[in-house]
Amino acid sequence: MKILISKLLSLLTILLLFTNCGTAQEGYSTKNKKAIKYFEEGQQAPQAQKDPRTGTMNFKAGLDLIEKAIEQDENFWEAYLIGAELAEYTGDHEKAVMYYQKAIDLNPKVTKSAFLYLAMNQQKIGKFAEAIKNYDIYISARSNNPELAKKALEAKENCEFALESMKNGTTFTPINIGAGINTKDPEYFPTITVDGRTILFTRLIDDARVAGTYKKQEDFYVSNLNDFGVWEKSIPMPVNVNTVNNEGAPTIGADGRSLIFVACPDASGTNYGEKRNGRGSCDMFFTKKLGARWSDPVNLPGKANTSLWESQPSLSSDGKTLYFIRRVNSRSEEPNSDIFVTKLQDNGEWGPAERLPMNINTPKQEESVLIHPDGKTLYFASKGHRGMGGSDLFISRMREDGTWGDPLNLGFPINTEADENSLMVSPDGEIGFFASNREGGYGDLDIYYFVMPMHLRPVKTLYFEGKVFDILTNAPIGGKFKLIDIKSGKEVVYSEADKETGEFTVSLPVDREYALTVDYPGYNFYSENFNMTNPDNLESVHKNIPMIPLTSDIPTVLENIFFDLAKSTLRPESFIELNKLKEFMESKPNIKIEIRGHTDTRGDDVANQTLSNDRAKAVYDYLINAGIDPSRMKYKGYGEEKPRVSDEAIEKLTSDKEKEKAHQSNRRTEYKIIK
């Protein structure tokens, strides 16, 4: 829009003042023939000297000639006006401000549009108070364009917001992430694993294989955090992922083994690289790590990709929700892109994408999106919400009913008069990462980090990692994980262990209690309880998962069965686990089980025996009411006969908290497959 408006100004200026260059020299504010010659050549140079390969006009050549005209006559106000526009095209907003102001000073009756463009450029360089004054001049002018006056009012309001935000700015001290990641080449679009120890990012590199004269393309690089807190030297992703074409904007799954990224075709518009097929423009692709090898990327299965431009994917920690940017058709002159979301279907394909609501998306551009591992904090960049000018970063939090709250601008100095884009926030919410070409870097865009202000942090997310293995043979197993919020009953995370190594990483947002189940064909399901409502400064949980074969007589503990104190009344939080056991029985109609109740060794022996029996029967009754044939089950209470931790071992523990945890381990419900 701005370029088209600015071109309109040039056309009006030329048509009104210089319609017939051969006879209109007397209409110029200068009589200097050399100045006029340079001026007229400068107007023609951008088109005359455009790049034959790309068709890009050479505005710098035009500006150089205009400045020669100004050297000949420093009072040539028309040259300043055209020079301001050309300076703006080259990105030199400081010079554009200087030239627009000079043109106005020399000719106060110049078109009022000059005040509008002066204000726009002042806003670009952070001169908000001055910009407000000039926006007001244009808005109040009788001759203004109503549509432009409306946009000027919006821009003025952004300037007012910027001034207020700068009064209340927070501490912001960006730190270069280091030479292990940053180089002379541009680095940007970082994504991080949930354990915070692996970063994958995009780098624009020189590549002689690229066709044409522009010998550059985008590839992915990976860096790991060492034990000293330093990011190690980055290495490129393997050649089946990195190609001679552009790969960019990656999002890595919480487990560090699923990667969705954007790949674009070459100049032909159809070639996405070897073994890759696209649907038009830039598409999202998927690859998965199996052991040490990344699979050949495939076009994201399902209906998320279209013939339109899709980019900037962000995968939720449960692996089932994907947010991304899609460039959409717009009736206005401005380009438009919105945030979309797609859900993973039961068949493994992604469903049709839907726009996020209009309190998030705007008629202008949304340019990047990040869903934090907590699953309910969204960061994004937008040009359409009230901000500092250009593209600003915003945060929106998911409400209890699943809708998105109104966005909050991250404020100054995270946002500035420049364009901000592509924020990444660490799983614990304490650190933000972004790309910048600020002074003091290694060259061009570098990746920086900073401490996130408290009011902009997401819910802290820890991680649970370990290995799934056969309890009898120690062989690794590719178990399938489900993490369910006990309070809401909603599935929070779905993940799989590596089939070759059994290793896994699962995110654990705090302030909730979870039921975890792990399944694999031929094995009893495993269950675990995570109460993260008070994590006690915990950063991670390491626990290996032993899977019990169906052919074994080893009992399986149901860790998410809960009873009222000293009673056999099942608490509602138990229903998730009980329904899982019911589904397990239904999926294996030939097995029979014994349900076992256990207590700790404290209290009366007889009372413990009765309580354990009643609790086992409560589970038995629940399953019968759920439709399981009673002939397939029996129940028995074992009281305090079979403790997991002996009294002698408990006495050796050093704290009351550890002792209570051991007693709690002895109070349990189990099932055992019987012949």
Side-chain angles (χ1 to χ4, degrees):
M1 180 69 174
K2 178 64 178 74
I3 290 177
L4 292 174
I5 294 169
S6 195
K7 284 181 180 176
L8 179 60
L9 172 62
S10 286
L11 289 172
L12 287 173
T13 305
I14 293 167
L15 288 173
L16 293 176
L17 297 176
F18 323 120
T19 303
N20 187 338
C21 292
T23 62
Q25 291 185 9
E26 293 182 0
Y28 289 126
S29 63
T30 184
K31 302 299 183 182
N32 188 305
K33 292 183 179 180
K34 284 188 176 180
I36 293 171
K37 176 177 179 294
Y38 286 133
F39 176 76
E40 293 176 350
E41 289 176 354
Q43 291 182 80
Q44 298 170 5
Q47 177 68 28
Q49 299 185 39
K50 68 180 181 180
D51 188 322
R53 183 178 65 87
T54 64
T56 302
M57 289 199 288
N58 191 341
F59 298 114
K60 179 65 167 58
L63 180 59
D64 290 343
L65 287 164
I66 292 296
E67 289 181 332
K68 288 183 178 181
I70 292 171
E71 288 175 5
Q72 294 296 318
D73 185 347
E74 62 181 15
N75 294 316
F76 191 1
W77 70 264
E78 296 94 336
Y80 285 109
L81 195 61
I82 299 300
E85 183 179 353
L86 293 172
E88 184 176 356
Y89 285 161
T90 64
D92 192 342
H93 300 288
E94 293 270 3
K95 182 174 286 187
V97 166
M98 181 175 66
Y99 282 1
Y100 276 126
Q101 189 64 64
K102 187 69 174 177
I104 291 169
D105 291 343
L106 289 169
N107 182 10
K109 294 183 179 181
V110 71
T111 173
K112 288 296 187 287
S113 296
F115 290 90
L116 172 63
Y117 304 128
L118 171 58
M120 287 179 170
N121 283 275
Q122 286 171 327
Q123 184 176 2
K124 285 281 188 183
I125 62 175
K127 293 186 175 181
F128 300 113
E130 294 92 331
I132 289 171
K133 293 178 182 178
N134 287 306
Y135 279 130
D136 279 337
I137 292 172
Y138 182 77
I139 292 167
S140 62
R142 294 181 185 178
S143 60
N144 69 32
N145 178 307
E147 186 64 29
L148 294 185
K150 180 181 176 182
K151 294 182 181 300
L153 181 60
E154 292 175 358
K156 174 191 170 184
E157 291 172 349
N158 281 339
C159 289
E160 291 170 340
F161 170 87
L163 288 175
E164 188 63 28
S165 183
M166 291 172 73
K167 292 179 185 176
N168 304 307
T170 59
T171 301
F172 181 65
T173 310
I175 300 171
N176 195 293
I177 203 169
I181 290 176
N182 292 322
T183 67
K184 65 176 180 60
D185 295 318
E187 285 85 21
Y188 43 96
F189 292 149
T191 181
I192 195 168
T193 53
V194 75
D195 62 4
R197 300 193 66 85
T198 301
I199 277 185
L200 189 147
F201 60 93
T202 305
R203 178 180 290 158
L204 181 65
I205 63 170
D206 296 317
D207 192 336
R209 299 174 299 166
V210 177
T213 58
Y214 185 71
K215 300 292 186 181
K216 291 181 179 291
Q217 57 99 355
E218 295 174 319
D219 274 348
F220 293 137
Y221 283 74
V222 180
S223 176
N224 294 308
L225 189 67
N226 65 26
D227 293 337
F228 301 100
V230 176
W231 291 99
E232 297 175 342
K233 183 176 175 58
S234 59
I235 59 173
M237 287 283 279
V239 293
N240 66 323
V241 176
N242 284 335
T243 69
V244 70
N245 289 353
N246 290 327
E247 287 81 29
T251 178
I252 198 162
D255 58 5
R257 297 184 299 105
S258 301
L259 180 67
I260 296 174
F261 65 93
V262 176
C264 302
D266 61 13
S268 71
T270 58
N271 180 15
Y272 288 79
E274 188 177 357
K275 300 180 181 179
R276 294 185 190 174
N277 296 310
R279 299 186 180 180
S281 192
C282 294
D283 277 0
M284 295 178 289
F285 287 77
F286 173 76
T287 176
K288 192 171 184 68
K289 190 177 184 182
L290 302 172
R293 187 184 70 84
W294 288 92
S295 64
D296 290 337
V298 297
N299 196 287
L300 195 67
K303 299 180 179 179
N305 284 323
T306 67
S307 60
L308 300 173
W309 178 90
E310 282 90 18
S311 187
Q312 298 279 316
S314 181
L315 183 64
S316 63
S317 62
D318 66 1
K320 288 190 170 183
T321 306
L322 183 69
Y323 297 82
F324 65 94
I325 302 296
R326 175 180 289 164
R327 190 172 294 159
V328 294
N329 295 327
S330 175
R331 293 182 181 179
S332 71
E333 297 176 17
E334 296 184 75
N336 190 16
S337 52
D338 282 344
I339 302 171
F340 282 73
V341 62
T342 177
K343 302 283 187 180
L344 187 64
Q345 310 298 299
D346 292 339
N347 63 1
E349 295 187 350
W350 293 90
E354 298 180 356
R355 269 191 183 95
L356 290 195
M358 293 309 293
N359 68 324
I360 302 294
N361 286 316
T362 69
K364 295 185 180 181
Q365 287 176 281
E366 278 63 54
E367 296 183 322
S368 69
V369 62
L370 167 73
I371 182 67
H372 188 266
D374 70 358
K376 56 184 182 181
T377 306
L378 194 77
Y379 297 93
F380 65 98
S382 173
K383 291 185 175 180
H385 292 283
R386 184 69 53 80
M388 303 280 291
S391 176
D392 274 12
L393 295 167
F394 296 83
I395 179 174
S396 174
R397 303 184 192 275
M398 185 177 285
R399 303 183 182 106
E400 287 296 323
D401 63 1
T403 60
W404 288 105
D406 290 338
L408 171 69
N409 190 295
L410 268 56
F412 180 83
I414 297 174
N415 286 322
T416 68
E417 66 274 8
D419 286 339
E420 275 72 42
N421 206 325
S422 194
L423 176 72
M424 181 182 72
V425 180
S426 63
D428 61 14
E430 296 177 4
I431 301 296
F433 299 83
F434 70 107
S436 174
N437 62 353
R438 62 187 57 225
E439 292 183 8
Y442 290 86
D444 212 287
L445 284 170
D446 280 358
I447 296 173
Y448 289 78
Y449 68 94
F450 64 96
V451 176
M452 285 292 291
M454 290 297 297
H455 71 289
L456 300 176
R457 293 184 182 184
V459 174
K460 183 175 182 177
T461 302
L462 312 181
Y463 63 96
F464 167 43
E465 52 91 22
K467 179 179 178 180
V468 185
F469 64 97
D470 185 305
I471 196 171
L472 300 179
T473 67
N474 288 324
I477 295 173
K480 297 181 179 180
F481 290 77
K482 285 186 178 180
L483 195 67
I484 300 170
D485 185 328
I486 286 180
K487 182 179 179 181
S488 67
K490 293 182 179 179
E491 185 177 305
V492 177
V493 170
Y494 175 83
S495 186
E496 295 184 28
D498 190 301
K499 293 179 181 178
E500 295 185 12
T501 66
E503 295 175 349
F504 66 89
T505 304
V506 175
S507 63
L508 291 172
V510 300
D511 298 332
R512 305 185 202 177
E513 186 175 5
Y514 302 103
L516 173 78
T517 60
V518 185
D519 292 281
Y520 198 73
Y523 291 84
N524 295 337
F525 74 87
Y526 176 91
S527 104
E528 185 72 49
N529 176 263
F530 287 99
N531 191 332
M532 306 303 292
T533 55
N534 186 16
D536 294 332
N537 297 318
L538 193 66
E539 295 297 329
S540 64
V541 177
H542 178 90
K543 186 177 180 66
N544 292 331
I545 305 295
M547 298 292 286
I548 300 172
L550 292 173
T551 54
S552 168
D553 61 357
I554 301 173
T556 297
V557 180
L558 298 166
E559 297 284 3
N560 292 292
I561 301 293
F562 308 101
F563 295 95
D564 289 337
L565 182 64
K567 295 181 180 179
S568 59
T569 305
L570 284 163
R571 298 215 307 262
E573 306 95 285
S574 307
F575 298 162
I576 293 171
E577 189 97 316
L578 291 167
N579 290 333
K580 176 66 181 177
L581 181 56
K582 170 207 158 193
E583 293 170 3
F584 176 77
M585 294 288 290
E586 289 174 338
S587 68
K588 297 170 176 56
N590 297 323
I591 68 167
K592 296 181 179 182
I593 63 170
E594 178 185 66
I595 300 165
R596 300 175 159 198
H598 301 270
T599 67
D600 59 34
T601 59
R602 297 176 294 184
D604 180 75
D605 293 359
V606 175
N608 282 341
Q609 179 63 41
T610 301
L611 180 62
S612 66
N613 194 73
D614 290 347
R615 287 181 168 179
K617 185 176 185 301
V619 174
Y620 172 83
D621 289 341
Y622 183 96
L623 292 173
I624 290 176
N625 290 331
I628 302 301
D629 186 344
S631 67
R632 298 178 59 198
M633 300 181 292
K634 64 180 182 178
Y635 65 90
K636 182 178 180 180
Y638 286 87
E640 54 191 65
E641 292 179 26
K642 299 178 180 293
R644 296 165 93 181
V645 186
S646 68
D647 286 345
E648 292 79 7
I650 292 175
E651 282 302 315
K652 293 178 181 179
L653 297 174
T654 57
S655 71
D656 290 341
K657 185 175 181 179
E658 289 177 317
K659 291 178 181 179
E660 182 53 40
K661 187 175 181 180
H663 284 302
Q664 185 178 345
S665 174
N666 287 335
R667 301 190 300 271
R668 66 198 188 277
T669 304
E670 301 173 333
Y671 74 91
K672 177 183 175 182
I673 295 178
I674 55 179
K675 304 298 189 281

